Amino acid sequence: MTRTHLPTTVALRVVVSLAQHGTVSSAAQALHLTQSAVSKQLKSIEELAGMCLFTRTSRGLAPTEAGVIYIEQARLALGALETAAVRLAGLRSSQPTIRLHVLPILGDRWFMPRFSRFAELHPRIDIQFTTFAPSDTLEEADAVFRFGDGTWPGWDANYVLGRDVVLASSPHLIARNGGLNAADDVRNFPVLDHLQTPLRWSDFGAACGFSDFRPPRVIRFGYYALVIRAAISGQGLALVPRSLILDELASGQLVNPLGLGFSSKNGYWLTTPASRPLHADLAILRDWILSEARQSEGRV
Amino acid sequence: MTRTHLPTTVALRVVVSLAQHGTVSSAAQALHLTQSAVSKQLKSIEELAGMCLFTRTSRGLAPTEAGVIYIEQARLALGALETAAVRLAGLRSSQPTIRLHVLPILGDRWFMPRFSRFAELHPRIDIQFTTFAPSDTLEEADAVFRFGDGTWPGWDANYVLGRDVVLASSPHLIARNGGLNAADDVRNFPVLDHLQTPLRWSDFGAACGFSDFRPPRVIRFGYYALVIRAAISGQGLALVPRSLILDELASGQLVNPLGLGFSSKNGYWLTTPASRPLHADLAILRDWILSEARQSEGRV
DNA sequence: TGCGGCTATTCCATTTCGGACTACCTTCGA
DNA sequence: TCGAAGGTAGTCCGAAATGGAATAGCCGCA
């Protein structure tokens, strides 16, 4: 008889974060835990599941068939919990809470690190975050980060950042591959692609005037964090919104020697339901976000 | 800024169990916890939610508006975790696991208490239970308990128990209400009804030959466990499958002085997908369940 | 008014959990 | 070929959470 032991909620977050980040260490960082803690959580949930959820590769972890199933359900479970929290926040009429839906990569790499400053500036404003909430509950949110070209019927959209897409590579990869001295050299490099935003490389090729751009190898990933990680470890060239890799560019982990890149039609936007009037606190938050974004992208 | 603290999974089970059972004590019993533990879990999750999820009445707990929302999402979350477990069990081809979906009231009051005996008899047979799994995943189960008349297209159904429906009352209620000396006296009592099986009382009226049966008061509940609990506390007469209240009838907490009742069209069935051949272990389980059920209903 | 049934709280033993540290493996470049 | 880098797993330990027993207290009711 199977003991009806349930996983912990942090184990669920661990599993999801592992899938997104591909290594125990970076998942841990995203969760504000140590590598040790995450490793143990992973072990315990795999024991509970009775099978491996991730295969250990030399570069990190990749979900197994079972892992894919588990991750999917873990997201659903976390989404339900977020939905509950959001709806309760909606009931609390006395102290209005801003319900903000964030996207994984944008939240991890740009928004959350900066948000603590906002929280200090405006300790009175209460914000409820969601990231796993199912898409049919998004209209309950007061503001939603989205990726696209800015047209979402029924929503007012403010451009945040992300249209400034740059080529990024590990310096070692460039050295190993005979250098990157002209745009045309890009053709000799393997490239990293993101399954959900697949047009990046053809857009880039067009911007560079390549008539026919066929990289020697394309490696695809399901999460942008994996693309960035793979770029850092020298697996190929990546195209990434500059604002998401400011730290890596500054530290030299990633470089863009020729300053290649292009201006994308798509970027990250902050959207608010057009039907609802904008609450004063929400306007403050929005303006702060837009101002931070201008700073990150160097638009004065 | 709202701390993104997630509730524990046991807190989720507590909330759901509280809704089903209506008191901390009986929820605790169903969860194999103490009243103290459940009370504390409730407190902690209410603090996390920032509002009361249950109103404390003199007889127990009733969900608030916020509670209803939370309970719904908690079920979804638990359902997702069950789905994950079930699907993983399906992958483990080496050691086949029987995936069995149980109904709350039947599981709590009849199946689970007896199941430990089966587990002793057949320690080799591994069973994975689900109770919250969403209905569109039921076809993944190997066997599903259902309530109805035995016709489910695509499923083979074996009658288990529950068609023997009896009148049940607290002895105090009968004493307080001038006795129950003839079937017709039933008309003087308030009755307890179950929202999901609403025809019980009209069926009963018909079986007793009442031309027009209008109880002075009808109290409705969303869970059968609440009906039984209300009956025990003397809030009204209940119609309950006899096998679900064997203990209470034996102890005198519930009585049926005139032996009233009727044979219902609907009962609990064990169903198996008609498309899949019956695994040997599953046949063992089914036969054991049917034999236990015959014993409970006194059908030799 | 006292009893039964219920919840909340306190105290305490136990367990769990997370962080620091260590061990160890693999890849990669000089 | 070796050392550095980056990764995971395991051990040890202090802190925190948790659950059970016992207790206090509340409410409805005979």
Side-chain angles (χ1 to χ4, degrees), chain B residues 114-136:
Chain B
R114 275 154 242 268
F115 177 74
S116 54
R117 267 190 274 160
F118 179 85
E120 280 168 24
L121 279 171
H122 304 279
R124 190 187 45 79
I125 300 183
D126 195 39
I127 300 189
Q128 174 80 245
F129 297 103
T130 62
T131 60
F132 302 111
S135 49
D136 60 321

Side-chain angles (χ1 to χ4, degrees), chain A residues 188-236:
Chain A
N188 305 324
F189 285 78
V191 304
L192 310 173
D193 204 4
H194 181 221
L195 288 167
Q196 277 80 37
T197 50
L199 294 178
R200 291 258 138 116
W201 281 105
S202 53
D203 286 355
F204 175 78
C208 289
F210 296 165
S211 61
D212 136 73
F213 181 39
R214 310 266 305 269
R217 187 154 164 237
V218 180
I219 311 176
R220 287 172 223 281
F221 297 89
Y223 298 97
Y224 229 104
L226 299 180
V227 173
I228 295 172
R229 171 147 292 275
I232 292 174
S233 75
Q235 292 183 60

Side-chain angles (χ1 to χ4, degrees), chain B residues 59 169-170 172-173 176 190 192 229-237:
Chain B
R59 288 190 192 276
S169 167
S170 154
H172 301 98
L173 174 69
R176 213 189 320 145
L192 310 172
R229 171 146 294 273
I232 293 174
S233 75
Q235 292 183 60
L237 302 181

